[in-house]
Structure formats: C-alpha cells, structure tokens
C-alpha cells in the first residue's frame, strides 16, 4: 500500500506562519522594526513560499478537492520549502557579504550558485501551482534567452552571459528576484490585502452587497445587476478576484439562478464582475502597485487613471446584463431578499474605513500610512456591534485569509522579477526597441 499524507493536518502550522507573516509585515511597515529592504524582501519570500508549498498541492485536482495524497509528493514539497527558506535565510545571514562584494567582479561561491538556482526553481514551481503555466512559460523563455540569446543574430542577440552571471544578477543583485515587484508585495500589497480581509471577516463588507440589492431591487434581472454592483464595491477594497467571488458569488449566483438565469451565465457574470474589481480604485490588483514602483507615478495618480476604465468596464457589463434580462423576460430581485433601508442606514458607518482610506490618499499621505490607518479603523469600528466584533478567532481568520490571498500575488511578483532581471542584464529592452 502506498503511504499517504493528509495536507489538511498542516493547518495549525500554516496558521502559525500566517501570524508570523502578519506580525513581520506590520512591524516593518510601521517602522517599529527597521530592516534593510533586501532583508525584508527575503524574509517575505521565505515565509510566503514556505506557506505556499505547505498549503497548495502540486496536484491541481487535490488543490480543488483536498484529500490524502501520496507521501512522495509531500516529500517534494519539503524539498521546495527547504530551497525557498534556505535561499532566503542565506541572503539574511550573509547580508554583509552580499552588500560588500563587487557585482560581476567577485567570484561566486558554490553556495551562492546552489541557493540562487534552487530559489529560481522554487519560484517557478510556486507560480505554476497558484497561477498556472502562462507566467512560468514566459519566465522559462526569458531564462532560455539569457542562456542562449547570444546565439541569435542582429539586435535580438546579446553578449554571452555565463550561468554564474545570470544567477548572480537574479539572486544577489536588486534587479532580479529582489526587485521592485517583490518589494511592492512585501510592503504595500500585504497591508491592502489585510484591509480587505479584515472587512470581510468582521462582516463589514456585507454592506456592499446589501446596498447593491437595494439599488437594483426594481431593475430587470436584478440579481445579476446586484452581482455587478456588489463585486465592484467589494472589489474596491479587496484587490483579489478570488476573494471577490467567494464573498459575493455565494449569494449572487444562487440568486441569479433562482430568477431564471442559466447556471453557466450566472457563473460567468460573477467571474467577470469579480475580475473587474482588480481595476476598481482605491485598492486594485498587484500590478497597480508594481506600476507605481517602476514608473515613479504616485499610486493616487494611477487610481485616478484607472477610475474611468473601471466605470466603463462595469457599464458595458451592466448593459449586456440588461439586454440578456430583457431577452428572457427576467424580473427583479425577490422581495424577501431585499434588505430594509432602515437596516442599511444603521450600517453605513461600515463604509467609514474605505472613506478614510480615500481621503488620506487624496490628502497626500503615504499609501502605507493610509492603508494602516484604514485597517485600524476597521478594528476600532468593529467593536461597535456584536455582529462585527473582531474576536480573536476572527482576527486569526483574517490573517489566514490575507496570507491565502497573498500567495499568488507574491509568487507572481517574484516570477516577474526573474523576467525583469533577464531584460535588464541582457539589454533586451533596447534591442526590442531597435
């Protein structure tokens, strides 16, 4: 009989890592613990990748339906955890050596090469587990270009790069894995994800869906339009399409099916509406923070630029829903599911943290300060009602939820760092322009 292992037994360990990640991110973001950015990013990557390999099975079917799996697959996960944590620990413990060495002049040690190659492999595998093969293929092509691009003719080629030069650029310098992409994940992005998780676990985000149902109560195909409004409102604070589907879809999809929408259409509406939350200010997907880091444009300016496209996105979706409802003669939201205006008025203060976040950013305060103060406002306001009170269990659930939503973002940011590192070291950007 093949030995099996149940990954669900690891939840206490995963929760402990989520708590450690939350404590580390908050202490470094608030300035209570002053560390060099390289150490912050290495610790962030080590914790996130360790959680990811414990949490997400290499088998896609097991990720969707957790159950006991062959023990050998978990042994592979242990190897990946050892490579991720070891590579991060090597950066932290040898920080002085890394800072003092002369790039591309000092020889790399065997440990430099070992941990650098191991971390690259671990990042590619982590990205495959949480985001599929698309980004892994792009990163793989970038690495092949770095190794063999000197064989290409004309401007598309580059000077020969030895394998140790490639690993040095990606692992020991700030232009690769430890670049601005993972820097955004290790600072701004985590705080915003925690903000959305706190709103969700305190049930304060419920006001978004209730407002959506009230606004669309008499509209044709009301439930689908409620899904649009609810997803847009929740997406404005979550920045995660998956979290958006989980928070709003469990209510809107059955409701859409109840009034006559086809099941596949109901699921499609929720998926598309939730995906739009990634471009709905003020809290957008990770790419918005990466854009701010790389372009030097303030995050507030990017929010302003994204607002009109986001509105047009939801307006076009609203129009399609309206015509679908007219074609099939679908009615509005069932009366028994429409909340009372009086009850919603009592909950309007739930929107105060979001309003505070927007006001602080418009006032010119830093993004991290605005997000941290918004998180503090959620915690403080939650105690005004037993329904929203942030109990220890809810706070632990919020930290676990924030860690779960961060896994894909952090892995993808690290993987993007590999691509950017290759573009920088090979001069591909200038070659492509030429």
């Amino acid at each position: 009989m093949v030995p099996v292992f149940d990954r669900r037994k690891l939840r206490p360990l995963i929760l402990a890592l989520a708590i450690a990640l939350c404590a580390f991110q908050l202490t470094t973001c608030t300035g209570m613990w002053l560390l060099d950015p390289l150490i912050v990013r290495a610790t962030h990557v080590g914790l996130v990748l360790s959680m990811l390999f414990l949490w997400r099975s290499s088998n896609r079917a097991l990720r969707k339906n957790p159950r006991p799996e062959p023990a050998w697959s978990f042994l592979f996960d242990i190897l990946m955890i050892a490579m991720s944590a070891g590579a991060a620990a090597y950066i932290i413990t040898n920080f002085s050596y890394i800072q003092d060495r002369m790039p591309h002049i000092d020889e790399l040690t065997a440990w430099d090469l070992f941990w650098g190659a191991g971390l690259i492999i671990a990042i590619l595998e982590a990205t495959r587990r949480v985001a599929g093969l698309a980004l892994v293929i792009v990163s793989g092509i970038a690495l092949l270009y770095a190794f063999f691009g000197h064989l290409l003719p004309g401007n598309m080629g580059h000077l020969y790069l030895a394998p140790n030069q490639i690993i040095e650029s990606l692992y020991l310098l700030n232009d690769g894995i430890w670049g601005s992409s993972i820097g955004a994940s290790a600072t701004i992005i985590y705080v915003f994800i925690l903000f959305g998780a706190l709103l969700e676990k305190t049930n304060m985000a419920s006001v978004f869906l209730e407002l959506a149902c009230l606004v669309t109560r008499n509209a044709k195909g009301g439930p689908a339009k409620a899904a649009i409004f609810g997803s847009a409102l929740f997406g404005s604070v979550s920045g995660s399409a998956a979290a958006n589907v989980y928070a709003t879809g469990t209510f809107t999809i059955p409701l859409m099916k109840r009034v006559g929408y086809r099941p596949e259409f109901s699921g499609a509406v929720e998926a598309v509406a939730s995906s739009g939350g990634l471009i709905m200010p003020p809290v957008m997907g990770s790419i918005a923070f990466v854009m701010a880091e790389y372009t030097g444009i303030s995050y507030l300016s990017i929010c302003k630029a994204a607002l009109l496209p986001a509105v047009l996105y939801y307006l076009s979706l609203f129009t399609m829903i309206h015509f679908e409802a007219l074609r099939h003669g679908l009615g509005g939201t069932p009366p028994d599911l429409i909340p009372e205006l009086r009850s919603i008025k009592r909950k309007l203060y739930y929107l105060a943290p979001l309003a505070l976040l927007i006001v602080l950013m418009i006032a010119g305060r830093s993004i991290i300060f605005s997000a941290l103060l918004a998180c503090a406002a959620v915690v403080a306001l939650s105690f005004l009602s037993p329904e929203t009170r942030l109990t220890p269990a809810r706070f632990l659930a919020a930290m676990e939820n924030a860690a779960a939503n961060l896994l894909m973002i952090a892995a993808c940011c690290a993987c993007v760092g590999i691509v950017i590192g290759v573009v920088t070291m090979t001069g591909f950007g200038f070659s492509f322009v030429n």
Side-chain angles (χ1 to χ4, degrees):
M1 183 177 179
V2 179
V4 295
F5 176 81
D6 193 344
R7 194 176 296 268
R8 289 169 292 187
K9 295 180 180 179
L10 296 173
R11 189 178 177 192
L13 176 58
I14 294 170
L15 183 58
L17 288 174
I19 294 170
L21 177 67
C22 182
F24 177 77
Q25 298 294 165
L26 292 181
T27 52
T28 53
C29 286
T30 56
M32 296 171 60
W33 192 4
L34 296 176
L35 296 172
D36 187 271
L38 180 59
I39 294 178
V40 173
R41 295 170 188 184
T43 306
H44 177 79
V45 168
L47 286 172
V48 169
L49 291 188
S50 297
M51 266 192 297
L52 193 153
F53 289 119
L54 289 172
W55 210 333
R56 300 287 188 260
S57 172
S58 58
N59 187 324
R60 185 175 182 180
L62 294 176
R63 292 198 293 272
K64 293 182 177 180
N65 183 23
R67 59 185 186 274
E69 57 191 280
W72 63 264
S73 65
F74 185 65
L75 292 177
F76 176 70
D77 293 338
I78 292 176
L79 175 61
M80 289 292 99
I81 292 169
M83 296 305 299
S84 306
Y90 184 78
I91 293 291
I92 297 167
T93 55
N94 293 276
F95 176 73
S96 298
Y97 152 72
I98 294 170
Q99 293 293 100
D100 294 340
R101 66 183 303 277
M102 298 182 68
H104 305 301
I105 295 177
D106 290 345
E107 290 290 331
L108 271 68
T109 67
W111 285 115
D112 294 339
L113 295 171
F114 175 76
W115 291 119
L119 183 61
I120 292 170
I121 294 170
I123 288 172
L124 293 175
E125 170 60 14
T127 306
R128 183 192 70 83
R129 294 191 186 191
V130 294
L133 287 173
L135 186 54
V136 175
I137 291 173
V138 172
S139 302
I141 293 173
L143 288 171
L144 289 174
Y145 179 73
F147 281 101
F148 304 108
H150 63 282
L151 301 175
L152 295 176
N155 286 333
M156 293 306 293
H158 59 77
L159 296 176
Y160 172 73
L161 294 171
N164 60 335
Q165 289 178 284
I166 296 172
I167 292 176
E168 178 184 14
S169 296
L170 294 179
Y171 180 59
L172 295 180
L173 304 183
N174 291 329
D175 295 330
I177 294 169
W178 314 119
S180 298
S181 297
I182 204 66
S185 174
T187 52
I188 302 171
I189 295 177
Y190 179 81
V191 181
F192 273 91
I193 288 177
L194 181 62
F195 173 60
L198 287 171
L199 278 176
E200 181 182 347
K201 294 305 177 182
T202 56
N203 292 324
M204 294 176 72
S206 62
V207 71
F208 297 134
L209 197 53
E210 292 181 7
L211 277 172
C213 289
L214 185 66
V215 170
T216 61
R217 63 188 182 278
N218 296 322
K220 286 285 186 181
K225 293 175 180 176
I228 296 174
F229 282 110
S231 294
L233 290 171
F234 185 81
S236 69
V237 297
S238 73
S240 169
N244 203 331
V245 170
Y246 178 78
T248 62
T250 53
F251 174 78
T252 57
I253 292 176
L255 191 56
M256 283 187 273
K257 290 161 64 177
R258 177 175 167 180
V259 299
Y261 283 104
R262 291 170 288 124
E264 59 271 22
F265 186 82
S266 303
V269 168
E270 181 58 43
V272 175
S274 296
S275 298
L278 296 174
I279 58 170
M280 176 59 75
V283 182
M284 296 183 285
S286 59
I287 189 62
F289 300 100
V290 175
M291 287 171 62
E293 289 282 336
Y294 275 100
T295 62
I297 300 172
S298 70
Y299 182 73
L300 180 61
S301 298
I302 292 176
C303 286
K304 292 177 181 177
L307 182 59
L308 180 59
V311 171
L312 291 175
Y313 178 92
Y314 280 106
L315 183 61
S316 63
L317 182 57
F318 181 90
T319 304
M320 286 185 280
I321 295 298
H322 182 70
F323 287 130
E324 179 76 9
L326 289 178
R327 185 170 67 174
H328 294 285
L330 302 177
T333 305
D336 58 307
L337 294 176
I338 298 175
E340 294 183 1
L341 180 61
R342 182 171 49 188
S343 68
I344 291 182
K345 285 182 178 179
R346 289 200 301 265
K347 297 179 180 178
L348 284 180
Y349 73 90
Y350 291 2
L351 300 174
L354 177 60
L356 178 64
L357 174 65
I358 296 171
V359 168
L360 288 173
M361 289 197 299
I362 293 175
R365 304 308 296 263
S366 74
I367 301 301
I368 293 180
F369 175 82
S370 303
L372 287 171
L373 211 58
C375 288
V378 174
V379 175
L381 291 175
S382 72
F383 288 98
L384 296 180
S385 169
E387 180 188 350
T388 60
R389 187 168 295 125
L390 190 63
T391 61
R394 282 182 172 179
F395 188 60
L396 290 176
M399 287 190 286
E400 186 179 28
N401 191 32
N405 291 334
L406 183 69
L407 294 183
M408 183 176 73
I409 294 173
C412 291
C413 284
C415 203
V416 166
I418 294 175
V419 177
I420 294 172
V422 170
V423 170
T424 302
M425 77 176 84
T426 60
F428 175 77
F430 296 107
S431 300
F432 185 74
V433 170
N434 288 336

